[in-house]
Amino acid sequence: EQAEHLVKKGFYIPAASLTGAVLEDGLRRLGMQANLEVPEKTTIDRLNADLARAGVYSKLVQKNITAYADIRNNADHGRFDEFTSSDVESMVIWVGRFLAENLE
């Protein structure tokens, strides 16, 4: 909800960072839900690979997560020309739907 508010106000960079953090937290929770070992220090890429390998979701979902993790990384590292406001809007919608459909 906070990311949606940020997008509506035109604050796409913080919305990308926040949505990426929410995605990472959700992937951790999905890993625990699937009884996978989730190290305390890990990355979205590692979680994503482990969850896809375990069959928690498809390769297509894995690719989407990789793309959205890249947006977050670019936002966090000041590479603002690597994504658009539309990319962030799509990210916020997709991550919200993905987590709503997959977390218990």
Side-chain angles (χ1 to χ4, degrees), residues 17-35:
S17 292
L18 177 59
T19 304
V22 169
L23 176 60
E24 184 171 354
D25 177 68
L27 294 177
R28 287 178 189 280
R29 292 174 23 203
L30 271 176
M32 289 185 269
Q33 188 174 291
N35 295 315

Side-chain angles (χ1 to χ4, degrees), residues 57-77:
Y57 48 70
S58 70
K59 291 287 185 187
L60 178 59
V61 170
Q62 181 182 17
K63 289 178 183 181
N64 281 322
I65 291 170
T66 298
Y68 291 130
D70 193 41
I71 292 171
R72 184 230 189 153
N73 190 49
N74 285 323
D76 288 352
H77 294 282

